[in-house]
Amino acid sequence: MAEIGVAVVGGGWAGLAAALALKEAGADFLLLEASLRLGGKVRTARQEGFLVEGGPDASVRYKKEVLELAQAFGLEPIGTLPEKPAAYILYRGKRHPLPEGLLQVVPGDLKALARTPLLSLPGKLRALYDLFLPRGAKEDETLREFVERRLGPEVYRALVAPLAGGVYGGEPDDLSMRAAFPQLWELEGRHRSLLLGAMRARKGRGSREGGSLFFSFAEGLQALTRRMAEALGERVLRGTPVLGLEPVRGRWRLHTPKGALLAEAVVLAIPAPQAAGLLRPFLPEATALLKGIPHTPAATVSLAFPGALPVEGHGLLVAKGEGLRARGFTWTHRKWPGRVPEGFSLVRAYFSGEAARLSEEALIRLALEDLARLLPGLPRVHRAWAFRFPEGMPAYRVGHLDRVERLEMALVKAPGLFLAGNYLQGVGLPEVVRSGRRAAQRALAHLSLGEAHGASR
């Protein structure tokens, strides 16, 4: 039976980041990925001159984790093409420019808030009442409760819900403020008024924020996946699912189709439902906590068209009740340079919930139907790509951080076992990378503790 220091299970960005951290520390490790493809939800396709992102299509510029990885591998980030306004919201049958100066989902520019046609005059006045409201007293509350308390129901319906739904998918009403939007939660705590805090934060960022808030790479996000895989080399075993996991005298036995593997520590960088399946035989409490994290199926469809489509900005978010199945659209050819051949347009549609469970053919049909409603006279589609993520996106409900804390306590009963992934403390790519690196550091500390204990004997 082969023996190693650390087994990393899962070849998405959390697992790859964990494996890189282990390599940097000189640890003995192996990364095991069930499929033949690495990258997890990051899926990039290049065909006929089109570059299509199936999963996430951007990272937030001011979060350092992905930028540092890119710099280490010599990848030059590219920003989005300049567009003002950058995005629109479909609300009550009309396309409205998204107000500039947003900090996550809160306006940081009162002039933009006053000018936007998205809100009625009573809605704008209700939002301004935030300037005089006291701080909230709850330990946590839903996104809807929080925004309606501070800014009013109209701001939530017209601005916040479409933005939050575009990030998390599904219904954003029940998302936890502390877990899903910690910056906003802390904003109220520090400044009392949400609008004042957003304005001060915006002024403080100033020139540091520069132009584009988002970045990618000339060859798409999969370029970073390739560089990480190349750096790990033979320490990656593709097509090697972990079928079972069991504790054995202070170590861990992993069962795979290629035989058993014995490891001193394990990093599970796989979706929560899969992690729950591996832990079920020996950690029932952790299994129940993992299964209790709701996930919403997600899917994207990219459509290529000849000629220029009559669209503006980088994309369109869709408010609830507009009669469309897509949560939003990205006009990829207007957002990113070098993604389409000359003379073509490329559109990306986002789906979540029940619609995302449909077949690829049905999803493409749905995307075309929704787009045709927005753009009458739509030309015949040239090429279509559909990507489905049945495991979906985790939804951070009220109490999520308490759940994560209880999960950490449950894992105390399994020394040497660590978790990483988007279901813990952040769904964005930077947070996923941070999660993987944190799990690797804990695994290294466990190895060091074992070495010290062995030496003392």
Side-chain angles (χ1 to χ4, degrees), residues 70-81:
Q71 184 178 16
F73 290 114
L75 282 174
E76 186 68 29
I78 59 169
T80 55
L81 294 167

Side-chain angles (χ1 to χ4, degrees), residues 19-187:
L20 283 171
L22 294 169
K23 181 185 177 185
E24 291 166 6
D28 177 32
F29 72 93
L30 276 178
L31 185 151
L32 298 89
E33 165 56 39
S35 73
L36 298 177
R37 187 190 64 83
L38 299 174
K41 287 186 172 65
V42 174
R43 301 183 187 180
T44 307
R46 179 176 277 285
Q47 293 176 332
E48 300 179 15
F50 295 95
L51 194 147
V52 175
E53 293 285 10
D57 74 336
S59 299
V60 181
R61 181 179 288 278
Y62 58 78
K63 293 184 178 179
K64 63 182 182 180
E65 289 82 359
V66 178
L67 282 171
E68 288 178 346
L69 272 178
Q71 184 178 16
F73 290 114
L75 282 174
E76 186 68 29
I78 59 169
T80 55
L81 294 167
E83 285 282 348
K84 284 194 175 184
Y88 288 74
I89 292 180
L90 182 66
Y91 182 61
R92 293 181 175 173
K94 295 182 179 180
R95 279 169 272 187
H96 303 277
L98 184 66
E100 294 181 37
L102 289 177
L103 175 67
Q104 290 221 6
V105 292
V106 173
D109 185 341
L110 290 187
K111 291 182 180 179
L113 181 66
R115 288 193 299 263
T116 179
L118 272 166
L119 302 175
S120 67
L121 179 58
K124 294 172 183 177
L125 293 175
R126 172 60 185 86
L128 290 175
Y129 189 51
D130 165 84
L131 296 169
F132 309 100
L133 289 173
R135 289 181 179 87
K138 292 184 178 181
E139 293 186 3
D140 195 5
E141 60 187 317
T142 68
L143 174 65
R144 182 169 187 167
E145 290 171 340
F146 179 84
V147 174
E148 290 188 349
R149 172 173 61 81
R150 297 292 333 177
L151 302 170
E154 195 173 337
V155 170
Y156 179 78
R157 287 195 308 269
L159 276 172
V160 176
L163 281 165
V167 174
Y168 283 88
E171 297 303 327
D173 295 20
D174 298 327
L175 291 174
S176 158
M177 283 302 303
R178 282 182 59 211
F181 303 96
Q183 286 180 291
L184 292 184
W185 186 254
E186 293 165 7
L187 208 63

Side-chain angles (χ1 to χ4, degrees), residues 5-9 18 22 245 252 264-270 275 279 283 408 411-412 414-421 423-424 435-436 438-447:
V6 184
V8 179
V9 183
L22 294 169
L245 179 67
W252 295 93
E264 295 180 55
V266 175
V267 173
L268 292 182
I270 52 180
L279 301 187
L283 279 181
E408 294 280 357
L411 289 175
V412 171
L417 181 64
F418 308 98
L419 302 178
Y423 60 88
L424 294 170
S435 172
R438 184 192 301 120
Q441 293 303 322
R442 291 177 174 179
L444 289 167
H446 177 77
L447 295 183

Side-chain angles (χ1 to χ4, degrees), residues 241-308:
V242 175
L243 306 175
L245 179 67
E246 59 177 324
V248 179
R249 296 186 298 277
R251 291 190 286 181
W252 295 93
R253 180 181 290 138
L254 296 87
H255 298 276
T256 81
K258 299 177 182 178
L261 186 68
L262 201 61
E264 295 180 55
V266 175
V267 173
L268 292 182
I270 52 180
Q274 296 177 21
L278 290 177
L279 301 187
R280 183 174 57 82
F282 57 91
L283 279 181
E285 183 182 354
T287 300
L289 289 166
L290 287 167
K291 285 186 173 181
I293 300 173
H295 284 65
T296 304
T300 67
V301 174
S302 288
L303 304 167
F305 297 94

